[in-house]
Each structure stands twice: as C-alpha cells, then as structure tokens.
Amino acid sequence: MPPSALLEQAQNALLLSVVVALPVIAVAAIVGLIVAAFQAASQIQDPTIAHVPRLLAVIAALVLLGPWMGSQIGAFAERMLLMASQ
C-alpha cells in the first residue's frame, strides 16, 4: 500500500472516530446544559443531580445509536481488510 493511500485511510479513520463519537458527546453536552440551567434556576447544587441525568442520557444514546456506530466501524474495517488483501 503506498504511503499516500495509508495517510488517506488514517485520515478517514480519524474522521470516522469523530463522526461516531459526536452524537453521544452532543447528547451529554445538551443534557448537561439543561441540568445546569435547572440547577441555576432552583439553586440546588447537589453533584449527583448533575451526573445522573447525563449518565442516563449517554446510556440511552449508546443504546439507540450503537447499531449505527457498529455498522459504520464494521464497514470501515471491511474496506480496510479488502484494501489490505489486494
């Protein structure tokens, strides 16, 4: 495999990792923002209130998006294996 193709596939791998991780990170950020606004409005500063909803939202996002994430990673791995065998 020429170095230019290897570099391109490394870029594709990095881009795929961002694309796969971004929805879950976005869900965590949005839920964290909502919880922070609720805490500021109610003046409740319990640390558990900040972490539990975010944890549950990330788990739900992973359950819902897990098959899509796995198929994207599997398709990339299949392309890499086919490219390596040629």
Side-chain angles (χ1 to χ4, degrees), residues 14-80:
L14 290 173
L15 182 62
L16 178 66
S17 65
V18 169
V19 168
V20 167
L22 193 59
V24 177
I25 293 172
V27 166
I30 291 169
V31 170
L33 184 64
I34 292 169
V35 169
F38 172 74
Q39 282 185 319
S42 65
Q43 295 182 351
I44 300 174
Q45 298 301 321
D46 186 19
T48 349
I49 293 175
H51 295 295
V52 172
R54 194 175 323 153
L55 176 66
L56 295 176
V58 166
I59 289 171
L62 286 173
V63 167
L64 292 174
L65 296 173
W68 172 79
M69 295 164 81
S71 69
Q72 294 296 313
I73 294 170
F76 180 77
E78 184 178 351
R79 285 194 309 267
M80 291 300 98

